[in-house]
Amino acid sequence: MQTIKPDMGDLPYVIGPYKEPIASVRPGETFRVETLDAFADKVDSPDADLAKIVRVPYVNPCTGPIYVEGAEPGDTLTVRVDDIVLPRDYAVSAIIPDFGGVCGTVLTRVLNAPLEQRLLLHPITAEGIVHDPSLNIPPIPIEAFYGTIGTAPAVEAVSTLSAGFHGGNLDAADVCPGNVVMLPVQVPGALLFIGDGHAAQGDAEICGVAAETPTVGTLTVGLVKGRAIPTPRIENNEFIMSVGSARPLEDAARVAFYDLVTWVEADYGLDRFAAYQLASQVAKVRLANVVDVLYSIVAKFPKRYLPGA
Amino acid sequence: MQTIKPDMGDLPYVIGPYKEPIASVRPGETFRVETLDAFADKVDSPDADLAKIVRVPYVNPCTGPIYVEGAEPGDTLTVRVDDIVLPRDYAVSAIIPDFGGVCGTVLTRVLNAPLEQRLLLHPITAEGIVHDPSLNIPPIPIEAFYGTIGTAPAVEAVSTLSAGFHGGNLDAADVCPGNVVMLPVQVPGALLFIGDGHAAQGDAEICGVAAETPTVGTLTVGLVKGRAIPTPRIENNEFIMSVGSARPLEDAARVAFYDLVTWVEADYGLDRFAAYQLASQVAKVRLANVVDVLYSIVAKFPKRYLPGA
Amino acid sequence: MQTIKPDMGDLPYVIGPYKEPIASVRPGETFRVETLDAFADKVDSPDADLAKIVRVPYVNPCTGPIYVEGAEPGDTLTVRVDDIVLPRDYAVSAIIPDFGGVCGTVLTRVLNAPLEQRLLLHPITAEGIVHDPSLNIPPIPIEAFYGTIGTAPAVEAVSTLSAGFHGGNLDAADVCPGNVVMLPVQVPGALLFIGDGHAAQGDAEICGVAAETPTVGTLTVGLVKGRAIPTPRIENNEFIMSVGSARPLEDAARVAFYDLVTWVEADYGLDRFAAYQLASQVAKVRLANVVDVLYSIVAKFPKRYLPGA
Amino acid sequence: MQTIKPDMGDLPYVIGPYKEPIASVRPGETFRVETLDAFADKVDSPDADLAKIVRVPYVNPCTGPIYVEGAEPGDTLTVRVDDIVLPRDYAVSAIIPDFGGVCGTVLTRVLNAPLEQRLLLHPITAEGIVHDPSLNIPPIPIEAFYGTIGTAPAVEAVSTLSAGFHGGNLDAADVCPGNVVMLPVQVPGALLFIGDGHAAQGDAEICGVAAETPTVGTLTVGLVKGRAIPTPRIENNEFIMSVGSARPLEDAARVAFYDLVTWVEADYGLDRFAAYQLASQVAKVRLANVVDVLYSIVAKFPKRYLPGA
């Protein structure tokens, strides 16, 4: 099994078509991939000066691009997440000035004084994640996933902090072992980027940072030839899921549900308005994040309510 | 046990201080309350002409106001939902032109042609809700709750279709048996309004309508004297929850999480930034609706991670 | 000419159908109306404690309701602003914590520390408004208008700080002498409320407060029988204008332009898509405010480009 | 005077650092630049099939990148627009399905049927722009400007349909002869891109398309060494202006006014809260567009009210 490591000499901070592939995989191939954490593994103390370590846009480096043999524009790339191992014994989280969900940011600009930086190193133990050893609370179970996964747009190179129809920084805990992520292929070879491992994350990722961690993952890629999807999708035994990334947050919900409803129409034989009305009663939603450049929502349709399921 | 029925001669379509109480309850009292569905129980056929039945603002009639003895401005009213019984053997849902989450509306105005009305009557059986007998899908389990619950603002009379710091049309499935809803008291007697029973609803209530049903519920009210809350809260064994209602949807998230974080600070001894950072890893979110006059989000903090829990 | 004064014993802080009229006017009648400033004329020193004077929701008192004889639901009320006189020799402005356009607010909730209150009394002289005598800048020309004008909704009583299809706190400088404001009639007598005089205001009213002033105005009302409008409109020699009030701000723009385009279609014989495309080239927009409970935008179609003009 | 023409063999559809410069200019140099219209000059009939001509992301080609000698990250590039000549005798506008301000779009996704395409060719005459010869309305005066102007971000390549801190598709009529546009320098040589000429445009560009036209412009560039700006700025004799591009639209207003207020603070000696309060009374706003990937607002401070002006 090949192992793909981050390109330490030229870490990508955008998802786009302009960087040469660092590895190549075949459809059906299972491979290992290593990722750095969102701070490039540079935080090793709660006293670190984050402002020096994190200089936008040099944040959230990905591993990639990974070339998928045979992938052509108009195909869909499937990425099954088989496993995520956390090789480091701590995760990092932070409050970062002008970033987060309940504070002024560079876009929701305010004249109020910015929040102060806070760094926390969370020990990772066999029992889970110790948020803060000084607090008497139980460890948080590890639920590892990739915050960032995407394929190159045709001409844009999008910050790894942002998201869109190409995937990107979704911060959706559904990008986890057992699930298959579907991404559009817009350039030859698809050019997959992946990173931003999270040991755990609450819905909304409200302060802007999860339990950030490097990862060693195992992935299996596949191709659906000649079939395009308009926005990222995820599937597991229980749900089909559509991801919407936009601002304002209701537009993310619109993108996600529009795709979910028309997906049910196209693949499961319900007309779109019947699907819309049924979704109104059975859908589940994950508010993935309300902090990134674009916010992300995952709309989920339980498979048990799909006709013929 | 007293039973409070809707005032059929003067159904309230606003939550406000201007209507005389229809009943009075004491703190600690358990009572029964009957509610009409959002269409005033007038839909009895899928061929009904909804445009005649539903003439905004005469939609979503509540039962109330209910006067709570001893409630004074600055107190908090607690409403424990003990039970909800569904007295009718069907629920109603609909696609309503210019209303819903993935279509043009009276606020998200578009020049595209409106969607067409669709009415569905869902049989309610012992096995659950039959969404559409013509579809071969399993019944949807009944998870009854109140879509609308609120107390009178001091001077405003707010449409029962809208929401706010006073509660209102939250469409949050957490207003269900086993949970305690906390609402601000802004006028003497609190003036509680309740209605909009849902037999079940998906997250986001995406087409704008759940499985609408009349209810016979059992409630127990209480008062927290001299302590005000800034936005509705909900509590059960597992979570403390804050509800934010606003547009755009990210503002609803901000209101909900701001309250959740400062609630943890005030009652559980964590400073607000520590609570913010911890919430970023353990919070759960329900996207209650993205269809009403104001959208609602429920931010939830698991009690097991509260210091001292 | 009758003079209508504010009801000092029961100042209205909502626009709704629940308060008895304080005066009655006939269609075609020209009358005088006096209004208090948004702080009820209570600020007479820059050292005033605004937190004591301004206790939400008791802010922005209006004069009204004024009963318009013969007005029935489905009619349109026209209010021509003939004149606005400023009877006080200073205006008041303020930075108010948790209120404004570039800061955290009660809806755009942030954990950042709130801004500090600042009060300014602006002398009004023959040359204009002296923003701050300590600054060496020219006086600001007086362009007086009403920040708040509206008619009672059918069942809601809406805070005078908010806005909507009934009008309300638009903070649109087009509600000024020479212009005719059109408002929907939703209850018998229309029930007109007016107030919130501004000696001048910048577009967006960015800090949340204009040059606030009491007024003595002269108005002439009229009725368009049997013709309803969906949102407030304004007209003068140069423009027909539609007002949209909503959040997010793009929804305010959608409401305003939808009405403007369909108005041109209905009254000037251009199909709606032709009007849409023409508006794309000739429309003017005033960003009235981005600070109130709902934001307001005025979309303007120059009359010279109306077919047949 | 050198003339810079679009690179017809490799038209840029992104503003980024990945394309080689097509020309080089010196600070102080005045040069001529030719641009294609947003449809690459391919529309020559109202019956053209726009869906074939406009295939996202291959829309709105720019001329560039233009290398500015001596420009280094941290500098500010100034671009004075000296003149814009329209070499073609017609402009093009269109209603494009899933694009525009009062309709469903790819982000504000709706299940309503999309609008139908409409193309219009507007003759340009000595009297102005003839919107539609079949309408009896006066010609629209030519007020030519560039819809798109920007400099390369450090690592991102942003669609020429989008905007941001680097400039881009602002669709702000203030990018016109007589005005100086300031843009951040983030890569050596700044890498200026320019295009999207508009013969005229209404505020908001409401249907999504202005009077699109090729241009021959004359520009003069300059550098402010060692001084960075956080968002595009524009200046003329009357105003200093800050441009905010974001969604929702209120965030665009926040970005614009935050910069305007802190600019007044930094350069004109007013503290930021005094500037905020003064802006609340004297600022002007242009709603540049509410249709593009990000919406843009121009906040303007009249120079006459700047201390010392």
Side-chain angles (χ1 to χ4, degrees), chain D residues 219-290:
Chain D
L219 309 177
T220 303
V221 292
L223 283 177
V224 183
K225 294 296 295 178
R227 184 161 177 193
I229 52 173
T231 200
R233 294 175 174 176
I234 306 174
E235 189 167 351
N236 61 19
N237 288 336
E238 196 177 356
F239 294 106
I240 62 170
M241 305 176 235
S242 295
V243 186
S245 298
R247 288 194 186 198
L249 187 54
E250 53 263 43
D251 272 1
R254 288 179 180 123
V255 167
F257 271 104
Y258 180 90
D259 184 59
L260 192 67
V261 161
T262 53
W263 182 3
V264 170
E265 177 184 44
D267 285 14
Y268 298 94
L270 223 51
D271 88 71
R272 65 176 59 191
F273 298 104
Y276 185 42
Q277 204 166 358
L278 180 52
S280 196
Q281 289 179 31
V282 301
K284 295 294 178 190
V285 170
R286 181 190 298 276
L287 176 45
N289 85 79
V290 64

Side-chain angles (χ1 to χ4, degrees), chain B residues 58, chain C residues 70-76 152 154 184-190 223-228:
Chain B
Y58 304 101
Chain C
E72 295 167 305
D75 297 343
T76 291
V185 179
Q186 303 188 64
V187 297
L223 282 177
V224 184
K225 292 298 295 179
R227 183 158 177 196

Side-chain angles (χ1 to χ4, degrees), chain C residues 151-269:
Chain C
T151 47
V155 293
E156 287 194 285
V158 181
S159 167
T160 52
L161 292 173
S162 192
F165 299 124
H166 69 290
N169 194 22
L170 309 174
D171 287 322
D174 304 291
V175 183
C176 65
N179 289 8
V180 175
V181 180
M182 288 166 262
L183 296 165
V185 179
Q186 303 188 64
V187 297
L191 300 185
L192 174 68
F193 294 76
I194 194 163
D196 194 24
H198 291 175
Q201 181 200 297
D203 289 347
E205 200 188 19
I206 195 65
C207 89
V209 183
E212 308 288 334
T213 172
T215 70
V216 180
T218 308
L219 309 177
T220 303
V221 292
L223 282 177
V224 184
K225 292 298 295 179
R227 183 158 177 196
I229 51 172
T231 199
R233 294 175 174 177
I234 307 173
E235 188 166 351
N236 61 19
N237 288 336
E238 195 177 0
F239 293 107
I240 62 170
M241 305 175 235
S242 295
V243 187
S245 298
R247 288 195 184 198
L249 187 54
E250 53 263 43
D251 273 1
R254 288 179 181 123
V255 168
F257 272 103
Y258 180 90
D259 184 59
L260 192 66
V261 161
T262 52
W263 183 3
V264 171
E265 177 184 44
D267 284 14
Y268 299 94

Side-chain angles (χ1 to χ4, degrees), chain A residues 62-73:
Chain A
C62 280
T63 299
I66 301 170
Y67 188 96
V68 180
E69 293 175 21
E72 295 167 305

Side-chain angles (χ1 to χ4, degrees), chain B residues 4 15 23-31 63-81 148-153 165-168 170 175 179-194 219-235 241 263:
Chain B
I4 303 171
I15 298 178
S24 179
V25 296
R26 296 180 320 278
E29 181 175 344
T30 298
F31 58 97
T63 299
I66 302 169
Y67 189 95
V68 180
E69 293 176 21
E72 295 167 305
D75 297 343
T76 291
L77 177 69
T78 63
V79 182
R80 194 181 69 212
V81 182
T148 305
I149 185 168
T151 46
F165 299 124
H166 70 289
L170 309 174
V175 183
N179 289 8
V180 175
V181 180
M182 289 167 261
L183 296 165
V185 179
Q186 301 188 69
V187 298
L191 299 186
L192 175 68
F193 295 75
I194 194 162
L219 309 177
T220 303
V221 292
L223 282 177
V224 184
K225 294 295 296 178
R227 184 162 177 191
I229 51 172
T231 199
R233 293 175 175 177
I234 307 174
E235 188 166 351
M241 305 176 236
W263 183 2

